[in-house]
Amino acid sequence: MSEVRGVDELIRGLVRDIADYPKPGILFKDITPLLGDPEGFTRTVDALGAPWQNSQPRIDKVVGIEARGFILAAPVALALGAGFVPVRKAGKLPGQTFSQSYALEYGEETLEVHRDAFAPGERVLVVDDVLATGGTVDATASLIRAAGAQIVGVSVLLELTFLEPRARLGDLPLHSLLPV
Ligand code: AMP
C-alpha cells in the first residue's frame, strides 16, 4: 500500500527557502516548486478550502491578495462555488476603490478593493500564501468591512509563527496548512 503523505509534509518538501530575498535578512518562502507539482498544487488548494466546504451559510466570495494570493485563491473560490475578488496594490483596479495603507517591515504598502466587489453582508474567505506579521491580512480585512461584507476566515499556506501574526488577527478564524 502506498503511503499517503500529509499536505503539511508535501508543502514542507516543495516550498523552497531563498535567503536574503528581496532584502538582506529576509528568508523568502518560494512556492513556485509547489505550484509546479500537480499533486502539491491540487492538495494545497483542497486543504485551503476544506474547513469552509460545508459552511452554513456558504462562503460567497474568496479574496486573493496580489499577486501570489491570486494563484491560490482563484481555484479555492471555484472549489467552494464562490466568486473571486482581487485585492490589489494601489492604482491597479480600474473602478472606484476603497484604499488601506499599512506599515511593512520597511516602508509602507497600500491595498485596494473595488467599492462594488461585494453585496451587503456577503461572507468572505481570505486566501494568501504566507502570513508573516499579519499586516497584509489585517489591511485586507479592513477593506472587506469597508465594502460592506463580512470576513469569516483566513486560509494560508504558511504561517511564520515567530512573527506572531495571530495576535494581529484577533478572533478571526485562521487556518494555516503549515505553521513554521
Ligand atoms: P505580512 O503582511 O507581514 O503578513 O506579509 C504577508 C505578505 O507578504 C504576503 O502576501 C506574502 O506573500 C508576503 N511575505 C511576507 N513574508 C514573506 C516571506 N518570508 N516569504 C514569502 N512571502 C512573504
Side-chain angles (χ1 to χ4, degrees), residues 7-89:
V7 72
D8 54 341
E9 200 188 322
L10 257 176
I11 293 169
R12 206 186 298 277
L14 287 167
V15 172
R16 171 169 67 178
D17 284 350
I18 302 205
D20 298 322
Y21 181 87
K23 298 190 172 93
I26 304 286
L27 187 63
F28 190 83
K29 299 290 183 183
D30 176 22
I31 66 166
T32 59
L34 180 73
L35 298 175
D37 182 272
E39 186 193 359
F41 191 15
T42 304
R43 289 192 52 199
T44 296
V45 167
D46 289 349
L48 287 168
W52 285 277
Q53 194 73 54
N54 298 313
S55 87
Q56 287 298 336
R58 55 187 293 134
I59 299 292
D60 299 299
K61 297 274 164 60
V62 177
V63 160
I65 305 167
E66 186 170 0
R68 290 182 299 279
F70 292 172
I71 301 165
L72 298 170
V76 170
L78 294 180
L80 296 180
F84 170 76
V85 171
V87 161
R88 300 207 62 179
K89 310 266 167 72

Side-chain angles (χ1 to χ4, degrees), residues 26-29 68 102 128-136 160:
I26 304 286
L27 187 63
F28 190 83
K29 299 290 183 183
R68 290 182 299 279
Y102 65 104
D128 205 6
D129 62 339
V130 176
L131 185 69
T133 64
T136 302
L160 306 186

